[in-house]
Amino acid sequence: MTALAPAPRRATHAHPHRLTFGHILRSETIKVLTLRSTWWSLGLTAAMSLSISFLLALASNDNGGMFSPVMILVAPIQFTMLVAGIFGAIVITGEYSTGMIRSTLTAEPRRGAVVLAKALVISLVMAVTTVLTYVVAALITAPLVSGGLDWSEPASSLLPLLFGVASMVAFTLIGLGFGFLIRNGAGAIAATVGVLFVLPIVMSLFTLAGERWAWISESVAYLPSNAATTLTTAGATDLSGAAIALIAWAVVPLTLGWATLRLRDA
């Protein structure tokens, strides 16, 4: 009678594979760049910005330089901010609508890392798009604007452009924050458009309501769109309040969205 061979011992130490943050960034980059909605959003942002800058340059040329060269480049932000915010919202709400968010959180249970990676990726994508748009817009409008940008004074040239890039990133993060918070495409887009476009109009109406409501009309300066206008104005000096306001508008919705992701099942 032959003796039975002893059963092989099971491993007593598990070696779970955990994604590094670099791998999460790569995964989020692939997801964002393979979405058709991403390219539609970026293309629309660039097309609107270039068209508005070109028309402003034509108008400035016909009226003796009524717009400064830097204003011609950054003025389209007041319109493209909506596309940037919507882009940030649909990046995440699309995952909720398809159920891909469950796969994402299964692969990486650290929800804060997921939020941070997605925020970094879409911020970089929007920043690069805005920089390239400014470069092309400057080349297109240079023959129509006398003098061109005076790079010797950064406060009137480079600084407004950098704040323009930062503003577009902030608008994108506002949309992303509402996307994580609301988890519904239509709801997140409505909230984003409400904050960026509708709320400034409503609050401005209180200028007609008398001194009792003056604090509301004065608060308009700290809304994201108005803060961006202040930051991108050539030669502006007191920028700290507008900068803090814009950062807060980007961070608060994103923080609330992260808290919601931690507390609620996907």
Side-chain angles (χ1 to χ4, degrees), residues 15 42 53 66 88 111 154 158 211-212 215 242 245 266:
H15 298 280
L42 299 180
S53 293
M66 61 183 296
R111 303 192 174 195
L158 182 61
E211 295 184 0
R212 180 181 178 184
W215 65 274

Side-chain angles (χ1 to χ4, degrees), residues 24-42:
I24 303 173
L25 284 175
R26 181 185 177 190
S27 173
E28 293 298 331
T29 302
I30 292 173
K31 283 193 290 185
V32 169
L33 295 182
T34 52
L35 290 172
R36 279 184 290 182
S37 59
T38 295
W39 297 105
W40 274 107
S41 299
L42 299 180

Side-chain angles (χ1 to χ4, degrees), residues 77-79 81-82 167 171 174 193-201 220-232 242 245-246 249:
I77 284 179
Q78 294 300 313
F79 304 93
M81 65 178 181
L82 295 177
S167 297
F171 299 145
I174 289 172
V193 173
V195 167
L196 296 181
F197 183 73
V198 179
L199 192 58
I201 297 175
V220 174
Y222 300 101
L223 293 177
S225 57
N226 296 75
T229 300
T230 301
L231 293 172
T232 55
L246 192 62
W249 276 106

Side-chain angles (χ1 to χ4, degrees), residues 119-182:
L120 288 175
V121 169
I122 67 171
S123 295
L124 180 60
V125 169
M126 183 53 67
V128 171
T129 301
T130 307
V131 170
L132 293 177
T133 302
Y134 283 161
V135 171
V136 176
L139 295 175
I140 291 175
T141 60
L144 302 174
V145 182
S146 59
L149 282 171
D150 184 7
W151 297 104
S152 62
E153 294 191 16
S156 300
S157 55
L158 182 61
L159 199 59
L161 294 177
L162 291 177
F163 278 128
V165 175
S167 297
M168 290 295 286
V169 170
F171 299 145
T172 306
L173 293 179
I174 289 172
L176 180 66
F178 280 126
F180 272 113
L181 186 61
I182 300 175

Side-chain angles (χ1 to χ4, degrees), residues 82-102:
L82 295 177
V83 184
I86 292 171
F87 165 62
I90 62 179
V91 161
I92 181 59
T93 57
E95 288 200 39
Y96 278 105
S97 64
T98 60
M100 184 180 289
I101 187 66
R102 299 188 190 93

